[in-house]
Amino acid sequence: EPIAAHVKNMAADGSYYWVMACVVPCGDGFLSVRLKPTSELLSAAVIPVYAEVRAMEIRMEQAGTPRREVAERSCERLLEMLAEAGFPDYGSFIRMALPQEIRAREEATRAPVASRPTCASPAGASTTSSPGSRSTPRPTRRSAPRPTSSTCWPTTCA
């Protein structure tokens, strides 16, 4: 079953960074797509919940609690916190969070027209103009070729 989650990763230099990871089973393995979280959800909800659950795990580990019990109890606490926030389960939370992250990313990467670089019209670009305005070259949007099961996707994932 596909899943998505905010994940705290450690870089090679020992620093930490967050990603939103989406994982889909595919044949004998899986496909994982990650993006940098840009919505306020990370700082407003995810990091505080992570901090509380992780602190609980550390206390339990230091007390000698078996790892399986630590995992089970931290999962229970996470689900309790989600329920307190109005989410009946993890799936309902992530179905809200993933689209929110995608929208925030689209907004963050959308540059105003005035700040976009201009250049001579390349081959395949169309030029648009309106009365009283200068022409601005705009690349023509083309659809990327769709992968076929024989070239990119194992038939078990199609």
Side-chain angles (χ1 to χ4, degrees):
E1 180 176 321
I3 190 166
H6 288 91
V7 178
K8 185 176 181 181
N9 283 331
M10 183 187 292
D13 66 1
S15 63
Y16 290 97
Y17 63 98
W18 287 89
V19 298
M20 167 64 84
C22 304
V23 182
V24 180
C26 185
D28 291 339
F30 58 88
L31 170 68
S32 177
V33 178
R34 295 162 185 247
L35 57 103
K36 179 181 178 182
T38 54
S39 78
E40 292 182 17
L41 181 64
L42 182 69
S43 60
V46 173
I47 291 174
V49 168
Y50 172 84
E52 181 177 325
V53 171
R54 185 64 188 128
M56 182 186 86
E57 290 173 337
I58 291 169
R59 285 190 307 272
M60 292 174 67
E61 290 166 354
Q62 290 173 343
T65 307
R67 293 182 75 180
R68 180 177 295 276
E69 186 178 342
V70 170
E72 289 170 354
R73 290 183 50 198
S74 64
C75 183
E76 289 169 4
R77 181 62 187 133
L78 172 63
L79 293 175
E80 287 171 4
M81 293 175 81
L82 289 175
E84 291 166 6
F87 298 100
D89 55 33
Y90 182 79
S92 62
F93 166 74
I94 210 64
R95 282 189 296 276
M96 177 277 307
L98 181 58
Q100 185 173 330
E101 289 295 352
I102 292 169
R103 279 191 304 275
R105 181 177 178 83
E106 287 173 348
E107 290 171 9
T109 59
R110 196 175 298 137
V113 173
S115 68
R116 291 183 186 152
T118 59
C119 59
S121 244
S126 62
T127 303
T128 60
S129 63
S130 59
S133 69
R134 64 185 180 108
S135 295
T136 305
R138 264 190 209 162
T140 303
R141 289 187 175 224
R142 294 191 177 112
S143 297
R146 295 189 60 121
T148 63
S149 60
S150 61
T151 58
C152 298
W153 303 102
T155 55
T156 56
C157 296

